[in-house]
Amino acid sequence: MSDNRQGQLTIWGRANSVNVQKVLWCLRELDLAYQRIDAGMAFGRNNDPDYLAMNPNGRVPTLVDGDFVLWESNSIMRYLVLAYGKGSPVYPEAPKPRAGVDRWLDWTLSTLQPVDRPVFWALVRTPVGQRDMAAIQKDADAEGLQWRIVDRQLASRRFIEGDDFTIADIALGAYARRWFGVEGISKPKFSNLERWFAEFAGRPGFRQFIAPPMS
Ligand SMILES: N[C@@H](CCC(=O)N[C@@H](CS)C(=O)NCC(=O)O)C(=O)O
């Protein structure tokens, strides 16, 4: 266990949220102790005044570290490494490798998440009888175009930014689990993406927080 002022870290958010999952996986990579409090969807609490005072978006996750409060999952991952994982290759210090990691964190939020969401919600959180499979396939085709970009990047790299596993692999990997996990649509075969996925699928943080059944 690292020297992380153990016991101070609290994560608010339900464990089936992809954005919470990224943070939990990151905490595991850094071997940090924390407590997690369920919030969001069926658990509620995220629109209560005390929660909104921490996170005006009413979204999960939120990190509380003593008197410091932070929202946005990728920002939380960066903070955790900077505060408690100094020197860790998961978020490199040199400007160019760091910028390479940052671009995938941004890309995940700006480009991948919007095309993943309709597919995930339709195939995981919508009753079978209410699914419009033709529309879902169209959405899956749109998502496939984005995964093709990742697949090509991975043609010449072990992980998304090179030889080291980074928080960019966490962000992308959490979504890749969904992409590989949804069924009932046709998906292109992406060999580099599959090889990369297998590289980290055995990591304890992935197995504990990302691999469990989607809900
Ligand atoms: N960009 C934000 C997005 C946060 C977000 O949209 N969280 C979703 C769960 S993945 C949420 O709070 N949904 C409402 C709920 O759970 O009730 C982040 O990365 O933290």
Side-chain angles (χ1 to χ4, degrees):
M1 187 68 57
S2 325
D3 175 17
N4 69 317
R5 291 179 280 144
Q6 188 174 345
Q8 284 202 357
L9 300 176
T10 300
I11 301 295
W12 286 81
R14 55 189 168 81
N16 64 343
S17 146
V18 67
N19 291 307
V20 174
Q21 289 172 346
K22 291 188 291 185
V23 170
L24 298 177
W25 184 1
C26 180
L27 284 157
R28 184 69 185 80
E29 290 291 335
L30 298 172
D31 197 17
L32 297 176
Y34 61 93
Q35 63 161 335
R36 186 180 64 79
I37 301 174
D38 274 321
M41 278 179 56
F43 297 99
R45 304 180 83 149
N46 52 321
N47 287 309
D48 292 351
D50 56 344
Y51 190 88
L52 291 171
M54 295 191 297
N55 182 342
N57 305 288
R59 301 248 153 199
V60 295
T62 300
L63 167 76
V64 180
D65 180 5
D67 58 5
F68 179 65
V69 180
L70 189 65
W71 40 266
E72 279 298 334
S73 56
N74 291 348
S75 297
I76 294 171
M77 289 201 291
R78 283 189 286 254
Y79 169 75
L80 289 170
V81 183
L82 294 174
Y84 302 117
K86 198 160 170 41
S88 168
V90 297
Y91 191 42
E93 283 182 13
K96 288 173 187 167
R98 174 162 297 187
V101 169
D102 279 335
R103 70 172 159 186
W104 290 109
L105 296 177
D106 291 342
W107 186 85
T108 301
L109 285 182
S110 66
T111 306
L112 186 62
Q113 188 272 341
V115 290
D116 172 79
R117 190 173 193 279
V119 177
F120 176 81
W121 269 80
L123 293 176
V124 177
R125 294 185 180 157
T126 303
V128 175
Q130 293 172 26
R131 294 178 190 169
D132 176 346
M133 291 310 296
I136 298 169
Q137 184 61 56
K138 266 190 162 179
D139 289 337
D141 292 344
E143 184 172 0
L145 291 177
Q146 302 308 326
W147 283 117
R148 184 179 303 284
I149 292 170
V150 182
D151 183 67
R152 289 191 177 145
Q153 168 91 356
L154 287 165
S156 58
R157 295 152 195 248
R158 181 173 177 216
F159 292 110
I160 195 69
E161 275 302 318
D163 291 337
D164 290 327
F165 176 86
T166 68
I167 55 176
D169 297 288
I170 293 181
L172 290 167
Y175 280 97
R177 186 266 178 272
R178 295 178 164 215
W179 172 249
F180 284 126
V182 290
E183 290 171 351
I185 44 163
S186 90
K187 293 176 263 187
K189 182 166 174 58
F190 294 131
S191 306
N192 304 311
L193 199 68
E194 285 177 15
R195 192 263 312 144
W196 162 79
F197 193 76
E199 294 264 7
F200 56 70
R203 294 177 93 93
F206 180 92
R207 291 168 59 143
Q208 186 175 356
F209 301 113
I210 314 292
M214 301 181 289
S215 63

